[in-house]
Amino acid sequence: NSKVLIFVEDAVAVEFPKLEEQIADYFTDFLNLELSQIIKAPGAEECKRNEDVLRMVWNSIEENKIDRHSYVFAIGGGAFLDVIGFGAATAHRGVRLVRFPTTTLSQDDSGVGVKNGINAFGKKNWLGSFSVPYAVVNDFAFLHTQPEQIRRDGLVEAVKVALVRDADFFIWLESKSKELVSLEPAALEEAVERSAILHAQHIAQGGDPFELGSSRPLDYGHWAAHKLEQLTNFELTHAQAVSVGIALDSVYSYLTGRLSLGEAQRILILLKGLQLPLYHEALELRHSDSSHKVFDGLEEFREHLGGTLTIMLLKAAGEGEDVHSMDLGILEKCIAILRHCSSSGDIDLKLYL
């Protein structure tokens, strides 16, 4: 029989106190699968900031004699899946991984991807692997039990993939913004499903699933987001940081003549309507030479892949353009505009030019 080792994020185990019993009952019906152990472990961003959980995964795989014909199941949010996935991908050079993402962010984005990782050297996902999961199971029963803010925040990756790949989906998100912000189940589930499919299609059909090139369209807005997470000591969540990063790159796309005024404003209005941030004070942090610390994220973004810096900017919803440099003076203007938009609540970009 093939063994199955299951890792459950602590917060999920608390929300579903009967989950362990339900899992055990489920496996009694399988003649060819043997439940080896269910292990609860801490999740959220903290689990990516040290190696404790990762080493626990390796130790558990060794102690339970999990081999390449066995399975590791991971049940939790995106950060938890990243760490468990990295452990599974590096034990025996790869153990079959089945992901059960539980948050909006992990169900509509990272859970269906091929990346795993933990933070190191003060940088996001510096250690990691590319490994295609054996299966991904998006169970909406997990989704609807998450705290309201976490459910809303995770919609930012749906906005991102709509901007990168599907203008019709962006229009749909606009039309359903009231239902989404109120977490109406049918709208939330459709947003998650459509986003997950678009992410999976891009990874499978985009021509560079393991990021051997220098372009990462699915990381639109992420060069600033990853740096903002680091600058706030990860108090700013990934979803919130991505929202600020999308706002920054969208205004930059407008100021550089790529994106129309109307489309730039629509993006900011949608983010605001979903209660996602457009600005964070960490954008103002500066080095002793007065340069913005967040701009260091450009070089770190380039370094992560190597080669030439490649940032995707928008020409329209669903249509991007790769650039290989960004004007820091214009970026400073973008920060000022977002600061004013955030403090005044007025999204009319013409007021700030």
Side-chain angles (χ1 to χ4, degrees), residues 197-258:
I197 289 170
L198 284 168
H199 277 92
Q201 286 176 339
H202 181 87
I203 293 166
Q205 302 169 9
D208 192 17
F210 304 118
E211 296 181 358
L212 297 175
S214 296
S215 179
R216 288 184 285 174
L218 292 182
D219 278 348
Y220 178 63
H222 282 53
W223 72 266
H226 287 166
K227 193 63 185 179
L228 288 170
E229 289 178 80
Q230 178 188 336
L231 290 172
T232 61
N233 198 29
F234 297 93
E235 291 181 10
L236 187 64
T237 68
H238 179 68
Q240 293 166 346
V242 168
S243 181
V244 175
I246 288 174
L248 184 67
D249 281 357
S250 298
V251 174
Y252 186 93
S253 296
Y254 162 60
L255 292 184
T256 53
R258 293 175 172 85

Side-chain angles (χ1 to χ4, degrees), residues 208-317:
D208 192 17
F210 304 118
E211 296 181 358
L212 297 175
S214 296
S215 179
R216 288 184 285 174
L218 292 182
D219 278 348
Y220 178 63
H222 282 53
W223 72 266
H226 287 166
K227 193 63 185 179
L228 288 170
E229 289 178 80
Q230 178 188 336
L231 290 172
T232 61
N233 198 29
F234 297 93
E235 291 181 10
L236 187 64
T237 68
H238 179 68
Q240 293 166 346
V242 168
S243 181
V244 175
I246 288 174
L248 184 67
D249 281 357
S250 298
V251 174
Y252 186 93
S253 296
Y254 162 60
L255 292 184
T256 53
R258 293 175 172 85
L259 189 64
S260 72
L261 172 64
E263 290 224 351
Q265 291 186 164
R266 285 171 60 197
I267 295 168
L268 300 188
I269 289 169
L270 178 57
L271 292 173
K272 183 182 178 184
L274 295 175
Q275 297 183 9
L276 290 160
L278 306 179
Y279 169 84
H280 190 275
E281 59 188 9
L283 287 169
E284 309 290 352
L285 295 174
R286 295 176 183 264
H287 292 294
S288 57
D289 64 359
S290 80
S291 62
H292 288 263
K293 291 184 177 182
V294 70
F295 296 164
D296 295 347
L298 289 166
E299 173 57 21
E300 291 177 14
F301 195 77
R302 185 208 65 77
E303 179 187 281
H304 195 55
L305 281 183
T308 304
L309 173 69
T310 304
I311 303 289
M312 201 203 81
L313 298 176
L314 287 181
K315 298 175 71 175

Side-chain angles (χ1 to χ4, degrees), residues 151-204:
R151 273 181 279 168
R152 286 193 196 95
D153 285 355
L155 288 167
V156 72
E157 294 287 3
V159 175
K160 175 213 69 182
V161 78
L163 291 173
V164 169
R165 284 192 59 94
D166 192 334
D168 288 340
F169 185 34
F170 179 73
I171 293 170
W172 182 90
L173 290 168
E174 289 181 304
S175 72
K176 297 291 184 180
S177 62
K178 291 183 179 178
E179 291 94 331
L180 290 169
V181 79
S182 63
L183 301 173
E184 196 275 323
L188 182 62
E189 290 174 12
E190 183 171 350
V192 167
E193 182 174 351
R194 290 179 69 169
S195 176
I197 289 170
L198 284 168
H199 277 92
Q201 286 176 339
H202 181 87
I203 293 166

Side-chain angles (χ1 to χ4, degrees), residues 13-286:
V14 169
E15 189 66 40
F16 293 88
K18 294 184 179 180
L19 182 60
E20 190 168 346
E21 179 184 341
Q22 291 170 328
I23 291 172
D25 288 344
Y26 180 82
F27 277 92
T28 60
D29 295 331
F30 283 90
L31 299 178
N32 60 338
L33 288 178
E34 174 189 339
L35 177 58
S36 186
Q37 189 179 4
I38 301 172
I39 300 171
K40 290 176 279 193
E45 196 63 37
E46 184 59 35
C47 74
K48 297 184 64 161
R49 298 174 64 184
N50 60 60
E51 297 182 5
D52 292 348
V53 176
L54 175 62
R55 293 193 174 279
M56 179 273 295
V57 174
W58 286 330
N59 290 337
S60 300
I61 288 174
E62 198 283 325
E63 290 168 3
N64 285 275
K65 305 306 176 187
I66 300 299
D67 57 33
R68 296 176 73 183
H69 296 277
S70 302
Y71 300 85
V72 168
F73 286 11
I75 305 174
F80 187 77
L81 299 182
D82 267 2
V83 179
I84 305 303
F86 184 34
T90 48
H92 298 301
R93 300 179 188 169
V95 175
R96 294 169 178 167
L97 173 71
V98 179
R99 293 176 178 156
F100 291 78
T102 58
T103 62
T104 308
L105 193 69
S106 57
Q107 289 198 1
D108 73 1
D109 176 21
S110 58
V112 298
V114 296
K115 293 189 282 191
N116 310 283
I118 66 171
N119 304 342
F121 301 102
K123 298 175 182 178
K124 184 90 170 180
N125 297 324
W126 197 89
L127 289 172
S129 64
F130 289 99
S131 181
V132 179
Y134 187 82
V136 180
V137 180
N138 272 359
D139 188 335
F140 291 141
F142 289 125
L143 180 67
H144 297 302
T145 63
Q146 298 296 307
E148 289 189 0
Q149 193 63 49
I150 291 177
R151 273 181 279 168
R152 286 193 196 95
D153 285 355
L155 288 167
V156 72
E157 294 287 3
V159 175
K160 175 213 69 182
V161 78
L163 291 173
V164 169
R165 284 192 59 94
D166 192 334
D168 288 340
F169 185 34
F170 179 73
I171 293 170
W172 182 90
L173 290 168
E174 289 181 304
S175 72
K176 297 291 184 180
S177 62
K178 291 183 179 178
E179 291 94 331
L180 290 169
V181 79
S182 63
L183 301 173
E184 196 275 323
L188 182 62
E189 290 174 12
E190 183 171 350
V192 167
E193 182 174 351
R194 290 179 69 169
S195 176
I197 289 170
L198 284 168
H199 277 92
Q201 286 176 339
H202 181 87
I203 293 166
Q205 302 169 9
D208 192 17
F210 304 118
E211 296 181 358
L212 297 175
S214 296
S215 179
R216 288 184 285 174
L218 292 182
D219 278 348
Y220 178 63
H222 282 53
W223 72 266
H226 287 166
K227 193 63 185 179
L228 288 170
E229 289 178 80
Q230 178 188 336
L231 290 172
T232 61
N233 198 29
F234 297 93
E235 291 181 10
L236 187 64
T237 68
H238 179 68
Q240 293 166 346
V242 168
S243 181
V244 175
I246 288 174
L248 184 67
D249 281 357
S250 298
V251 174
Y252 186 93
S253 296
Y254 162 60
L255 292 184
T256 53
R258 293 175 172 85
L259 189 64
S260 72
L261 172 64
E263 290 224 351
Q265 291 186 164
R266 285 171 60 197
I267 295 168
L268 300 188
I269 289 169
L270 178 57
L271 292 173
K272 183 182 178 184
L274 295 175
Q275 297 183 9
L276 290 160
L278 306 179
Y279 169 84
H280 190 275
E281 59 188 9
L283 287 169
E284 309 290 352
L285 295 174
R286 295 176 183 264

